[in-house]
Amino acid sequence: MRHRDRGFRYVLFAALAFLCATLAGADAFRVADINVTEIQPDSLPVAPGVALGSALVFGLGTGADRLQLWRSDGTAAGTARIKNIFPGETGGQFGQIIKLGPLALFQAEDIAGGKELWRSDGTAAGTFRLIDIQPGPDDSRPTTFKVVGSTLYFTANTPANGVELWKSDGSAAGTILVKDIQPGTASSFPKRLVAVGSTLYFNANDGVAGEELWKSNGTPAGTVRVKDILSGADGSEPRELTVVGSTLFFEAKGSVDDGELWKSDGTEVGTVLVKDINPATGSFPFVLRAVGTQLFFLADDGTTGYELWKSNGTAGGTVPIEEIAPGPGGVSPYDESDGVAVLGSVMMISLDDGGVTGEELWRTDGTAAGTFQISDLVPGPDGSFPEGFLVLGSTMVFEASDETHGSELWRTDGTIAGTALVADLLPGGEGSRPFLFSAIGSVALMTLSTSDIDRELWRTDGTPGGTFALVDPTPADTTSSELFELTDSGGTLVFNADDGVHGREPWRSNGTAAGTALILDINPGGADSSPAEFTVSGNRTFFSASGLEGNELWKKTAGGAVLVEDIRPTFSNSFPRDLVDIDGTLYFSADDGTHGRELWKSGGAAADTDLVFDLEPGTLGGSAFPIADSGVFGNGILFGAFTTATGTELYTSDGTGPGTDLVANLNPGSDSSSPSNFHISGTVVLLSAQTATAGTEPWAIVDAGLGGFVKVALGDLNPGTTGSNPREFTVAVGTIFFTADDGSHGRELWKTGGSAATTVLLKDTFTGAGSGAVSELTSFAGRLFFHACDATSGCELWASDGSAGGTQRFKDLDPGPDSGNPTHLTVSGNDLWFSACDGAAGCELWVSDGTPQRTRRAGDIHPGPESSNPHANRSRVGETPLVASGGLIYFAASDGSGDELWATAPFLFDDGFEINGTAAWSDTVP
């Protein structure tokens, strides 16, 4: 019998394997391509780079991943991504990139470290955060980079010192604060860093003399103010610091309203006014450039307006070059940063000559004869707007626009005859709009548009033959419907989308392309109705939308949607918001124009849509909020509201005026406690609220019956008035969890037993002052799952059984210091679904059965290291998960062609049989 049982088991296993393979969760699929008409422009933002060896290292962003580091040697084969630093569309932009020896140093952001100092040697392995100056996800924002010898100077922000001067030798240990110029938490805000020999010059404010000129040799003792040019707290505010030989020139205020040209040799006595060009009001020189041994600049002498000047550092040698625009009007530069360059012994500048020829290309060699307009590409007062100047040896390339070619690539050698169009890269009046960002040897790199919408990486050496495409980082046209507000409506998905024809309107889907359709074009034509806060109440789905009646309350019907009531007639907006269902009745806040924003309710018809109670008489109203967080509590519904007598406090209502009562005045008197982050469990509500003595801290309110409520302060977690700002109260494994910042550990995981004595920090995931950025608290598989960061593995998936020892990193989704950054945690059946990132696939859909072994990427929707960014944006507070509806899990994502509606079927049994893998099972006979 034992052998027969075993044979039977084999047959049973085979049958189960077939069943599981048939009913298993399928790969993610695009439900419908809703927007196929409105192609979105491809911006392809770039951060200018530096040369490492024979290649340029630079930053590049796409719609899916905004922080990518690239390299190029000027050939298509040698142009490639180095690393996707911060997968996902939430990443910020690159800061300045600078070369320090064999390294590129720059500001970049990741979820674990925030905006910090990074380094790269041009390889993926050699690209990483150099140091986390402000530990955890908070930013130190290193910026204003300047290399002096083998040292990088920059500014960074810390809580202890504010924004001050730092330096780095390219190592973590060698990255240190130079000096706390304005001691304590206040900032000296160093800026405009320049080098003269081995000395760094910059502006700073020590809190005594205002913003003045400073210098540093890299030591605290050698970091000193050069001169207090303008005595008092205002400071002279030096600008345009420019080095000519061993002399530093700059514009500064010798009196409160007088900006003139100054120079310095680094000593107090050697820091002097060069010339008082405009004694009456100041000449305010700008666009300072070193040309050979002289300084060229623009200044206003009070008679001719702004014109070109030059200086050799003496008063007698500081003279106008040429009056280009006769009279007091003067000239103005079109782009004072990218429209000025020094080409050999000539300064090239994009100037408006006072409206005669508009913004065109000019040059000067410091003489009247050598100062003239290079070209008038658009005859008459309209200009060609030259900009993006890059010097390649004896040639300068730039962008300019004429009436025939539009904005295209040009070149010049500084002469009229040597100025010409390089190539008409996108024929027609619009042009390719080249953006020249960096040079590598004799080659300039740029982005440009090869069609109305697609931008690519190109290179040029200033000749037609040497100008060609390198790579297109975003080859697919993007037609995003940009889905928002994904919500389950009784087994049907409803959402907000833009199909490129009707504007942003309400849509529905049953998980098939044929069953995905516009509900109603509420705001006819291409205008948006912007439906928001889809909420099921009873057997109806309500939402707010803007139609011909303004922004009002609507509901979905079998055949479309109808206006429930025009609460504020005559084309005005009542702006219904914070929609929530309480026992089959919809509650929300609205402003009818008479009573201000107050609590309303609706049964789905105009006749039963009513103001509950005018809590604060007058047109401002009680500003009822955050009703969307509420549930059944007290008289029926819990909400915050304002009255003159109590401030913003906690109220309850049964839907009638007499049944609307104050629950608690947590901040006594007329000051507000501003209650929020409600979590209701039976007769207890957990929330955050503010008091004058403790700031915003956790509270519990217990409904004691018969209209009585007991207030329980759960502790002053961040002693003093700052507050710990608790969030995400969540019940799991019989424990109440939440996140808070006690001022010492950053935002970490806490728990409470319902009293101050039992409210404790459960785990400091990011040990020390750095924040663990704990969020996404979700009850699943008998534990609490959440997002948290530590110093070694970045931000990953964590789990807790309610004990400190049982609160650990669950899985390092992106092994090493890079962050998996799990978000949008959603429980469906036996699985936890979420979005997470790794270096191989970017940010994609992941799934877990509650074991680390079977926590894995569920697919690569956007193949390769690019991200599809699964998400389900909703305006409701605290609602960010993916959406389970009608047997599918829905989300918005992009396969590279735009953000559209995607779905996946949950697994029947997540045990390996879904993919015909039997390793999770055993045929051992008990």
Side-chain angles (χ1 to χ4, degrees):
M1 289 295 296
R2 189 71 123 181
H3 292 294
R4 291 184 60 188
D5 285 346
R6 186 167 183 171
F8 175 75
R9 287 175 183 269
Y10 280 129
V11 173
L12 177 60
F13 290 163
L16 284 173
F18 175 79
L19 176 63
C20 291
T22 304
L23 299 178
D27 290 338
F29 60 94
R30 187 169 63 187
V31 176
D33 191 357
I34 293 170
N35 190 340
V36 296
T37 59
E38 192 175 42
I39 299 176
Q40 296 174 323
D42 180 7
S43 60
L44 208 65
V46 173
V50 294
L52 296 184
S54 61
L56 185 83
V57 173
F58 60 97
L60 183 144
T62 66
D65 300 284
R66 297 176 186 167
L67 276 170
Q68 302 180 41
L69 196 66
W70 282 63
R71 61 177 287 134
S72 178
D73 61 3
T75 69
T79 302
R81 180 192 296 105
I82 296 172
K83 187 170 186 175
N84 191 356
I85 290 177
F86 189 171
E89 61 185 353
T90 56
Q93 303 296 329
F94 279 96
Q96 179 186 1
I97 302 175
I98 199 164
K99 178 179 171 63
L100 181 66
L103 301 176
L105 298 183
F106 52 95
Q107 179 201 117
E109 178 182 11
D110 69 357
I111 194 67
K115 294 181 176 67
E116 294 291 350
L117 186 63
W118 282 63
R119 57 144 275 175
S120 179
D121 62 2
T123 68
T127 301
F128 51 84
R129 189 186 331 114
L130 179 63
I131 187 172
D132 195 359
I133 292 173
Q134 187 166 163
D138 293 332
D139 307 325
S140 74
R141 295 180 181 269
T143 187
T144 320
F145 294 166
K146 186 64 184 180
V147 169
V148 183
S150 59
T151 301
L152 170 70
Y153 291 92
F154 62 97
T155 65
N157 182 26
T158 65
N161 306 114
V163 180
E164 294 293 349
L165 184 67
W166 287 64
K167 69 176 182 179
S168 178
D169 62 3
S171 70
T175 303
I176 58 174
L177 175 70
V178 175
K179 184 174 183 175
D180 191 0
I181 293 171
Q182 186 165 166
T185 59
S187 301
S188 70
F189 294 111
K191 57 178 71 101
R192 303 185 179 96
L193 279 60
V194 300
V196 181
S198 60
T199 302
L200 178 78
Y201 289 84
F202 58 98
N203 286 11
N205 185 343
D206 62 2
V208 177
E211 187 178 328
E212 291 291 354
L213 182 66
W214 285 64
K215 68 177 180 179
S216 179
N217 64 2
T219 69
T223 302
V224 296
R225 188 188 325 117
V226 176
K227 183 172 184 173
D228 188 2
I229 295 172
L230 179 59
S231 298
D234 288 335
S236 66
E237 299 179 354
R239 302 175 189 273
E240 301 264 349
L241 278 62
T242 304
V243 181
V244 181
S246 60
T247 301
L248 177 69
F249 289 90
F250 55 95
E251 181 260 334
K253 296 187 297 183
S255 63
V256 174
D257 297 315
D258 179 24
E260 288 294 353
L261 184 65
W262 287 66
K263 69 175 183 179
S264 179
D265 63 1
T267 67
E268 184 174 6
V269 296
T271 302
V272 296
L273 176 70
V274 176
K275 183 173 184 175
D276 193 357
I277 295 172
N278 187 346
T281 59
S283 67
F284 296 99
F286 72 119
V287 193
L288 277 63
R289 295 293 189 275
V291 184
T293 60
Q294 297 195 88
L295 179 78
F296 290 5
F297 58 98
L298 287 167
D300 181 358
D301 64 2
T303 302
T304 64
Y306 275 104
E307 293 289 352
L308 286 168
W309 285 64
K310 66 180 179 181
S311 178
N312 63 4
T314 68
T318 302
V319 295
I321 296 173
E322 172 75 342
E323 187 176 3
I324 293 172
V331 299
S332 60
Y334 168 59
D335 186 334
E336 60 187 85
S337 58
D338 292 332
V340 185
V342 177
L343 181 61
S345 60
V346 173
M347 183 170 83
M348 310 296 296
I349 184 167
S350 176
L351 279 181
D352 183 343
D353 60 1
V356 177
T357 63
E359 295 83 354
E360 295 289 354
L361 184 62
W362 286 70
R363 58 149 274 168
T364 182
D365 62 2
T367 68
T371 302
F372 51 85
Q373 188 180 85
I374 291 288
S375 60
D376 186 9
L377 299 182
V378 180
D382 293 332
S384 64
F385 305 103
E387 61 182 334
F389 294 4
L390 270 182
V391 174
L392 305 176
S394 60
T395 299
M396 185 184 82
V397 289
F398 62 99
E399 174 192 358
S401 180
D402 67 13
E403 294 174 336
T404 302
H405 308 95
S407 176
E408 288 292 356
L409 182 65
W410 290 71
R411 71 166 184 256
T412 184
D413 61 4
T415 68
I416 295 173
T419 302
L421 177 72
V422 175
D424 190 5
L425 301 173
L426 180 59
E430 192 67 28
S432 65
R433 305 185 304 281
F435 171 65
L436 295 126
F437 60 88
S438 291
I440 176 74
S442 60
V443 171
L445 298 188
M446 57 186 169
T447 63
L448 56 81
S449 297
T450 54
S451 68
D452 290 340
I453 49 89
D454 187 37
R455 289 188 76 79
E456 300 176 1
L457 279 171
W458 281 58
R459 57 94 80 182
T460 184
D461 61 4
T463 68
T467 302
F468 52 81
L470 296 175
V471 67
D472 185 0
T474 52
D477 286 345
T478 301
T479 56
S480 296
S481 60
E482 297 182 342
L483 287 75
F484 292 94
E485 306 283 348
L486 276 66
T487 308
D488 174 44
S489 174
T492 298
L493 186 77
V494 292
F495 54 97
N496 165 332
D498 183 352
D499 64 357
V501 176
H502 300 94
R504 188 161 293 286
E505 295 291 349
W507 283 67
R508 60 176 171 79
S509 179
N510 63 1
T512 68
T516 302
L518 177 70
I519 293 174
L520 181 68
D521 189 5
I522 291 174
N523 205 346
D528 300 334
S529 73
S530 300
E533 298 196 44
F534 295 101
T535 303
V536 177
S537 180
N539 59 355
R540 301 164 297 269
T541 300
F542 295 89
F543 58 97
S544 65
S546 296
L548 301 178
E549 303 83 1
N551 189 269
E552 296 293 349
L553 184 66
W554 287 70
K555 68 177 180 181
K556 183 171 77 72
T557 64
V562 296
L563 178 70
V564 175
E565 184 177 6
D566 188 359
I567 294 171
R568 189 169 183 172
T570 66
F571 309 106
S572 297
N573 305 298
S574 73
F575 290 117
R577 60 176 181 243
D578 272 343
L579 281 62
V580 67
D581 169 63
I582 305 292
D583 288 338
T585 296
L586 181 79
Y587 287 87
F588 59 99
S589 75
D591 182 351
D592 64 1
T594 301
H595 302 92
R597 182 161 293 278
E598 293 284 2
L599 181 66
W600 285 66
K601 67 177 182 179
S602 178
D608 56 19
T609 301
D610 301 301
L611 172 69
V612 172
F613 185 58
D614 190 6
L615 196 60
E616 174 68 6
T619 56
L620 292 179
S623 302
F625 82 100
I627 306 164
D629 283 350
S630 192
V632 177
F633 184 82
N635 296 355
I637 180 174
L638 186 73
F639 64 101
F642 171 83
T643 68
T644 304
T646 66
T648 303
E649 294 294 346
L650 204 60
Y651 286 81
T652 183
S653 180
D654 64 359
T656 68
T660 301
D661 298 314
L662 178 68
V663 172
N665 190 357
L666 298 176
N667 201 1
S670 60
D671 292 334
S672 299
S673 72
S674 302
S676 62
N677 296 294
F678 302 163
H679 178 86
I680 299 171
S681 180
T683 59
V684 178
V685 59
L686 300 157
L687 68 147
S688 61
Q690 176 181 328
T691 62
T693 56
T696 303
E697 293 290 355
W699 286 75
I701 307 291
V702 181
D703 182 358
L706 300 177
F709 299 94
V710 179
K711 302 179 293 184
V712 181
L714 299 180
D716 187 3
L717 310 186
N718 190 351
T721 58
T722 302
S724 67
N725 298 299
R727 304 173 192 157
E728 295 195 59
F729 295 99
T730 305
V731 176
V733 292
T735 302
I736 301 169
F737 298 92
F738 63 97
T739 75
D741 183 348
D742 64 1
S744 300
H745 302 91
R747 183 157 295 277
E748 296 291 354
L749 185 65
W750 290 68
K751 70 175 182 178
T752 183
S755 67
T758 60
T759 301
V760 296
L761 174 65
L762 179 57
K763 186 82 170 186
D764 186 10
T765 62
F766 199 112
T767 307
S771 173
V774 175
S775 62
E776 302 266 348
L777 274 59
T778 305
S779 176
F780 171 65
R783 282 172 290 176
L784 179 80
F785 282 75
F786 58 98
H787 166 289
C789 312
D790 65 20
T792 58
S793 297
C795 301
E796 298 292 350
L797 188 63
W798 285 60
S800 176
D801 63 4
S803 68
T807 303
Q808 301 175 357
R809 188 188 323 110
F810 177 73
K811 183 164 184 172
D812 191 358
L813 306 173
D814 192 0
D818 291 335
S819 297
N821 194 26
T823 57
H824 300 67
L825 274 62
T826 304
V827 177
S828 179
N830 297 318
D831 290 298
L832 179 69
W833 296 81
F834 55 97
S835 171
C837 315
D838 62 23
C843 299
E844 296 290 348
L845 185 66
W846 285 63
V847 64
S848 175
D849 68 351
T851 66
Q853 296 81 4
R854 290 194 56 74
T855 300
R856 71 277 189 197
R857 193 186 321 116
D860 192 1
I861 292 171
H862 193 165
E866 296 279 0
S867 301
S868 71
N869 290 312
H871 63 279
N873 295 333
R874 276 179 273 179
S875 60
R876 296 278 295 264
V877 176
E879 291 195 30
T880 58
L882 311 178
V883 178
S885 176
L888 294 173
I889 298 168
Y890 290 94
F891 52 95
S894 174
D895 62 359
S897 64
D899 225 31
E900 294 293 351
L901 182 63
W902 286 69
T904 187
F907 295 103
L908 179 63
F909 305 109
D910 190 1
D911 54 10
F913 268 72
E914 289 85 354
I915 54 173
N916 293 324
T918 61
W921 285 58
S922 170
D923 65 348
T924 302
V925 178

